Amino acid sequence: MRLPTLRQLQYLTAVVEEKHFGHAAEKCFVTQSTLSAGIQDLEELLEVSLLERTNRKVLPTPIGEEIAGRAQQILSLSEDLVDLAQSEKNPLSGRIQVGIIPTISPFLLPKVLPTVRKQLPNLEILLIEDQSERLLDLLEAGSIDVAVLAFPFNTRGLTHRIFAREPFWVALPRQHRLAQKKALKPDELPTNELLLLAEGHCMREHALSACQLPASAQRKSVQATSLYTLIEMVASGLGITLIPDMAIKSDMVSHSEISLVPLENKNDQAMREIGLVWRPSFRRTATLEQLAQTFSDALEDTDYSVRA
């Protein structure tokens, strides 16, 4: 039985992603005629129509979209095989693509990257910032190798390793009646003043969990798309919010006109965990273990580093 080649599968996934033969050909570093011929050969091999061609664009047929999804998984597994072979020579060298969420990256990276460069000088790290669900999509597609996420979070059966835990602080306007408190219990927070990130940001759910509140407990008329916006809204007196510990000493927070009060942490509920997530098929585990250890080492001066 004849099987599709990896090159044919690569052509198909590129066309489905770009929805344009010319752009897909550029992405695959081939001519448009070569790509078109490869797709046609694949259709003849499978005896199905994979693409719907129009004058302006190209769209996958229903079966074409499903096959392209499976093709991406096959390509990802093939790339993992190459990574495995390369890591056998030197697990702490080469390139690794790391995704990271925006409520972690500006605070964690300045702490850990100098240590990573010192401890892993031959490891090239490429960074991509995006929301958690999108990073999991990229992981499953093989577009990135590992993601730095906050937990608890549904990782869809992917492998993960926690390297840090951190508490939350309550951010309040300077003149707020609770601003002078030494600590605040979750049930002391005025939930009608609570400002949260918009849907899609995992820190939204973590903040609600830390406060032991349902998803409805927030100011419905006001939601922010970034932690920076939340802080500015608090400084303007629009409400209160929760800030993770690693953000406390950042310029974003220290230069803002807000007050910070620790959130009382009972039974470790007012915490979030930070960890790495990767595909079970990604076999550069020695690289990932060292990366997690290096991240933990870089956070050694904090009280939320998790020792291996």
Side-chain angles (χ1 to χ4, degrees):
M1 180 175 62
R2 259 185 81 210
L3 296 175
T5 66
L6 292 179
R7 177 65 70 181
Q8 289 171 332
L9 298 182
Q10 184 184 32
Y11 291 165
L12 175 62
T13 57
V15 172
V16 170
E17 182 175 344
E18 299 293 335
K19 296 181 173 57
H20 190 282
F21 275 103
H23 297 163
E26 291 176 5
K27 184 175 182 179
C28 295
F29 303 103
V30 296
T31 64
Q32 187 169 330
S33 60
T34 298
L35 181 134
S36 297
I39 294 289
Q40 186 175 351
D41 288 344
L42 181 61
E43 289 181 316
E44 292 175 358
L45 172 65
L46 298 177
E47 298 182 347
V48 292
S49 178
L50 300 173
L51 301 172
E52 178 186 339
R53 299 160 177 85
T54 68
N55 291 333
R56 294 188 175 183
K57 60 182 178 180
V58 57
L59 297 172
T61 62
I63 186 64
E65 188 165 8
E66 183 175 349
I67 289 176
R70 299 194 182 192
Q72 185 61 66
Q73 294 176 0
I74 294 170
L75 292 170
S76 174
L77 289 171
S78 300
E79 291 170 358
D80 288 347
L81 285 176
V82 175
D83 285 333
L84 176 60
Q86 292 176 342
S87 67
E88 184 68 19
K89 302 173 186 176
N90 186 350
L92 305 182
S93 67
R95 174 181 296 182
I96 188 166
Q97 300 175 94
V98 180
I100 186 166
I101 58 176
T103 57
I104 292 178
S105 58
F107 317 115
L108 179 68
L109 294 181
K111 288 185 173 73
V112 303
L113 286 184
T115 305
V116 170
R117 291 194 185 102
K118 182 178 179 181
Q119 294 189 5
L120 307 172
N122 297 319
L123 187 66
E124 180 186 1
I125 296 180
L126 301 181
L127 296 166
I128 297 175
E129 186 179 284
D130 212 325
Q131 293 184 13
S132 300
E133 289 291 351
R134 174 61 181 157
L135 290 179
L136 291 183
D137 290 341
L138 294 175
L139 264 178
E140 291 178 338
S143 300
I144 60 175
D145 301 313
V146 62
V148 181
L149 301 184
F151 298 86
F153 194 78
N154 180 5
T155 58
R156 309 178 190 174
L158 297 170
T159 306
H160 73 277
R161 154 85 184 274
I162 302 298
F163 62 80
R165 296 184 180 91
E166 62 171 343
F168 280 101
W169 292 64
V170 184
L172 311 104
R174 288 271 176 89
Q175 304 305 317
H176 197 280
R177 59 184 177 83
L178 299 175
Q180 302 306 315
K181 285 268 201 176
K182 291 185 177 180
L184 283 168
K185 298 178 181 178
D187 58 10
E188 292 180 299
L189 298 181
T191 56
N192 62 321
E193 299 179 33
L194 186 61
L195 304 173
L196 297 174
L197 290 175
E199 294 282 355
H201 292 271
C202 62
M203 204 184 84
R204 169 193 176 90
E205 282 70 33
H206 295 153
L208 288 170
S209 175
C211 296
Q212 304 169 36
L213 297 172
S216 58
Q218 60 165 313
R219 291 192 60 183
K220 296 184 184 299
S221 60
V222 184
Q223 294 186 33
T225 56
S226 72
L227 192 55
Y228 175 79
T229 303
L230 276 181
I231 292 168
E232 289 300 306
M233 291 163 70
V234 172
S236 299
L238 295 178
I240 68 172
T241 195
L242 264 65
I243 296 178
D245 188 84
M246 67 171 59
I248 296 303
K249 294 181 181 178
S250 67
D251 289 343
M252 179 194 305
V253 174
S254 59
H255 294 163
S256 297
E257 296 295 317
I258 61 174
S259 292
L260 295 169
V261 179
L263 183 65
E264 189 174 286
N265 186 25
K266 185 177 181 181
N267 299 325
D268 286 338
Q269 184 160 1
M271 300 275 288
R272 73 171 183 174
E273 296 179 319
I274 312 297
L276 301 180
V277 184
W278 64 91
R279 297 180 300 280
S281 63
F282 187 70
R283 296 303 182 188
R284 293 183 62 182
T285 52
T287 305
L288 297 179
E289 288 294 332
Q290 184 60 51
L291 195 62
Q293 184 62 58
T294 302
F295 279 13
S296 185
D297 290 344
L299 298 173
E300 200 170 25
D301 61 337
T302 70
D303 56 5
Y304 48 89
S305 172
V306 175
R307 306 307 300 169

